Every structure is written in C-alpha cells, then in structure tokens.
Amino acid sequence: MNALPTDPAVESRAGLLAVDADHLWHPWSPSRVSPDTVVAVSGRGCEVWDADGRRYLDAKSSGLNATLGYGCRPVIDAVNAQLSRLMTYDMGEGANVPAIRLARRVAELTGPPLTRTFFCNSGSEAMETCIRIARFYHAVLGAPRRHLVVSFENAYHGATMAAAACSAGSSPVAKEVTPAGFVTLPRPARAADGAGALRDFLARHGDRTAAVLVEPVQSRGGHLLPDACLRDVRELCDRHGVLLVLDEVTTGFGRTGRMFGHQHSGVRPDLLATSKGLTAGYMSLAAVTTTEHVFDVFDANKTKAGFVHGHTHSGHAAACAAGLAVLDVVESEGLVANAEARGAQLLAALEETRPLPYVRDVRGRGLLVSLELDGSRRAARVRAHMKDGGVLVRRTGPNVLVAPPLIVTRDETERIATALLAAVSAAATPAP
C-alpha cells in the first residue's frame, strides 16, 4: 500500500511495541494490547498510517472523536494561534476570549432554553458534572432525598465513578464497586410499552429521583432510542419533576445527521452533555449545556450552595479555540448533511446482510451505524477481516460499529461498505 514518507525519528513498530509492553497501560483493554495492534504515526483526511507504513481507512474516527479526520488545517492553525497568544487562563477567577465565544456559539446551536454552558475536559467529566448538578439542584430546592439517577441497560456514560455507576452492567466487577443511588432500567425501546419501565419506576420512586440519563443513540452498540420513546421519557420527567439529561458525547455536533441527536425527536433536555465532536479530537474539551432556569437555581442560592465544582483546565483557551474552528468547518462544509447522506448510503448497502442467519440487526442514524451479529467471536472476526483489508472499525460485544469522520466521501463510504460485506461473508465459515 502507499505510505507517507518515513520519519527517521519514528522507531520501528517492533521497537515501539516492546517499549509499549514495558511501560504503557492501555485503556479499555486487559491492560496490554496484542502484537497486531495498530501503532499509528500519521494521518490525513480519513486515513491513518501505522509504524510499518501501512495505510488504513479509519471507519471508527479514532475513538469516535476524530469527526473531521486528520490534518484539518483550519483547526490546527486556530490551536497554534491561540497557544502562541494565551494557552489558557483560570476560569474560576477569570475568563478567556475563546471560552466566552464558544459558550455563545453553543447556545446559538442548541437554541433556547439551553443557554448556559459549563466546560470540562472529557465526556466522563461532563456526565459527572450533570449528575452533580442534578443532585445539587434538588437539594438547593429543598428536596435532598431526590438523589436517584436512572439510566438504561447497555448504556455507556463514562469512566469516572458516578458516570461509570450509570454503566455498571458492562462488567461484573463494576457492579460491586458502584456507589448507591444509581438505577438501571430496560431500554425504552425494549420495554413492553415504550417507556413503560421508566413509567412504573417513577410512579413508585419519582419523588426520590433526581435525573434520567439517556443516549439518543447508544455508543456501545448503536441502539437507537425511538423518537416517540424519547418524547415519552421527556413527558414522564416533566410529570415527576425529574431532570432529563441527554448524553450526546458521541452524537453531538453532526454525527447523527443533525447537529444534535435529540433534534430528530424535537425533545429538549434540561442538561446536555457533549464532547467528542466538539473539538474533533484535536484538543480535550467537553461541555454541559443547561437551561437558564437550572442556572438560576444555583445563581440565586450562592450563599446556600453555589456550584463547588470545576477542573484546572475547565474552559481551556486553546481547546475552546479548537472548538470554534471545528464548528466553522462543520457548518461551512455542510458536514451535518454529509453525515446524513453517507449514513443512508452505508445503511442501504448493508441491507443485503439482513437475511443472513447470523446477522441479528442492522441499525443506525447518520454516521453511527451498527451491525449486530450472533456473538462476540463472529463480530471480532469481522473486525479482524476488515483490518486485514485496510479498514478499521470498532467492535463492542456482538456489534460492529461503523462511525467514520463526517468528512467521509461517497467513494470512501463505498469502500467501507464493500469491506464490511466481504468481512461478513468471510465470517460465515467457522473459524479454523
């Protein structure tokens, strides 16, 4: 395959993996990676090159966050310019221009009543912030017993303590270290009557519930929450005085073919968490955007509670400059519409897999598409076959998740679909 010019400063892949094995602790793995792992050294557009000079089409956008692909010059230039001017300034005692501008820009995109944004560093921190806001909110209003936080099975809301408690079903060990006050219910789409499980729970415990957390499309397996179900969830939260938190860490800023995933349903949350698409992987940044009402509860009770929460790098100036540049590119290049079109193209191509006995489902919205197989082993074989063919995808359990950068072209989408169809076909035969 074609490769970028070799950088003599880059060590050999074998050498890098040897150092990796001795010193690096990898996230989301047993602790080490396998010898066939991709050691990425450079990227351009939707493609990355590894230490052996092999080129891959990255159909998983790194960690679902490289939404503008690699080497996006406007974002790189914006970050470099801000680093040269002022890398950041303490938001606890002051402010910086990019953070101010980005908060206004986000408010313009979300629209009222979502007008106030708190910046942090990662999706996990954003969800942690949402949970703290929800519990503080009810306590300030005189209802400290409203502490329960409800999420749904197969959800992923982050890796910090409270966020992970909302994803405890992912690991037997996680359940044993989960703090109290977190409840997992069946997904509304799988409940007998839409949001029936939530309806029953709130009928019994609504006066003790602080918040309900929902992903419009679950990042772990690509399960869609039907729009009607999300509207039911919103109505139930309103009926019981519960805050609705939408986790759009993955779906925000164009991934689903709308600027935000909740816009498909017309539902507005009380708290909106975003991260990955906000800076497209060029810097670490996340946002919690809420209503003026929620903000005013804290603002009007400064002496009672205030908001004792933050991070050293909250509103990091260079990260916010990256966010502004990313949003410029997303809007000027029509990438939300491109995500919708390319996602439809990919789903149409995958329809031919539905009759296969080992294919359980094909689903997606925009450029977040999932192929569910009859088991994790078959899904792992599909992923490995695609990697051998030069296309990288993500596997979570029995699901093969395809989420290329929003800049992906028609031809690149066809290449992804062709590779996936070939891999599914190859996975029909038993493994040797």
Side-chain angles (χ1 to χ4, degrees):
M1 289 186 175
N2 296 330
L4 293 175
T6 301
D7 182 351
V10 176
E11 299 148 276
S12 69
R13 180 172 177 279
L16 286 166
L17 284 176
V19 176
D20 181 310
D22 288 341
H23 299 291
L24 193 58
W25 189 338
H26 287 264
W28 310 120
S29 70
S31 62
R32 303 173 189 265
V33 294
S34 63
D36 66 346
T37 189
V38 172
V39 180
V41 296
S42 59
R44 183 183 298 155
C46 293
E47 296 182 317
V48 292
W49 280 257
D50 71 7
D52 287 333
R54 188 173 187 199
R55 182 178 67 186
Y56 297 93
L57 198 166
D58 183 8
K60 61 184 183 66
S61 299
S62 184
L64 308 181
N65 61 329
T67 54
L68 298 188
Y70 303 89
C72 183
R73 182 47 57 185
V75 181
I76 295 169
D77 289 345
V79 172
N80 286 340
Q82 185 60 45
L83 287 172
S84 298
R85 186 180 302 116
L86 176 76
M87 78 288 193
T88 196
Y89 189 76
D90 179 13
M91 293 286 289
E93 297 186 352
N96 64 74
V97 173
I100 293 169
R101 290 177 175 170
L102 185 57
R104 180 178 63 182
R105 188 75 172 275
V106 171
E108 291 169 350
L109 293 173
T110 56
L114 296 166
T115 56
R116 292 279 180 170
T117 290
F118 174 92
F119 290 116
C120 44
N121 307 297
S122 69
S124 295
E125 289 181 10
M127 293 308 299
E128 199 86 11
T129 299
C130 288
I131 293 166
R132 294 200 74 189
I133 289 175
R135 285 180 165 176
F136 269 71
Y137 169 87
H138 291 292
V140 169
L141 292 178
R145 71 190 304 268
R146 279 186 175 269
H147 70 289
L148 298 178
V149 176
V150 178
S151 58
F152 297 103
E153 64 180 358
N154 205 52
Y156 176 73
H157 292 295
T160 49
M161 183 61 79
C166 303
S167 317
S170 62
S171 165
V173 175
K175 293 179 181 179
E176 298 182 12
V177 298
T178 297
F182 294 88
V183 178
T184 301
L185 298 178
R187 284 200 314 275
R190 289 180 56 188
D193 61 339
L198 179 62
R199 182 178 297 106
D200 293 344
F201 178 84
L202 292 180
R204 298 191 308 273
H205 307 292
D207 62 343
R208 296 197 299 126
T209 303
V212 173
L213 278 54
V214 180
E215 296 169 280
V217 183
Q218 291 187 331
S219 60
R220 176 168 283 148
H223 297 280
L224 277 71
L225 183 71
D227 294 335
C229 285
L230 186 53
R231 288 190 284 269
D232 286 346
V233 171
R234 173 74 274 181
E235 189 276 329
L236 288 167
C237 287
D238 289 341
R239 186 189 309 173
H240 293 277
V242 174
L243 295 182
L244 174 60
V245 178
L246 288 188
D247 178 350
E248 296 225 34
V249 168
T250 297
T251 56
F253 302 106
R255 171 62 68 188
T256 68
R258 296 287 188 278
M259 186 60 73
F260 302 101
H262 67 268
Q263 292 174 336
H264 294 273
S265 67
V267 164
R268 297 293 183 117
D270 299 296
L271 291 155
L272 174 68
T274 56
S275 182
K276 294 179 186 291
L278 180 56
T279 53
Y282 286 86
M283 296 290 282
S284 295
L285 187 67
V288 173
T289 304
T290 190
T291 66
E292 201 68 20
H293 167 72
V294 171
F295 177 82
D296 283 346
V297 166
F298 290 88
D299 197 44
N301 291 276
K302 297 185 187 72
T303 58
K304 185 176 182 180
F307 186 50
V308 188
H309 181 73
H311 307 278
T312 299
H313 293 295
S314 290
H316 190 278
C320 289
L324 287 164
V326 166
L327 295 179
D328 284 343
V329 173
V330 168
E331 293 189 315
S332 65
E333 296 190 7
L335 296 184
V336 178
N338 189 63
E340 183 178 28
R342 301 285 72 78
Q345 177 188 350
L346 186 57
L347 281 170
L350 296 181
E351 278 298 309
E352 69 178 74
T353 67
R354 283 192 186 274
L356 297 173
Y358 50 90
V359 172
R360 294 290 179 261
D361 195 15
V362 179
R363 54 183 175 264
R365 179 162 266 177
L367 282 174
L368 190 57
V369 174
S370 179
L371 180 71
E372 183 177 345
L373 300 164
D374 59 355
S376 298
R377 285 192 175 185
R378 200 184 302 269
R381 288 167 56 203
V382 168
R383 175 179 175 272
H385 194 281
M386 292 189 72
K387 177 178 176 289
D388 290 343
V391 177
L392 303 175
V393 293
R394 170 177 283 204
R395 181 192 69 83
T396 55
N399 304 292
V400 176
L401 198 65
V402 184
L406 308 189
I407 63 170
V408 69
T409 65
R410 178 182 293 275
D411 288 346
E412 287 171 329
T413 303
E414 184 177 349
R415 178 180 163 194
I416 294 168
T418 299
L420 184 50
L421 291 171
V424 170
S425 177
T429 57

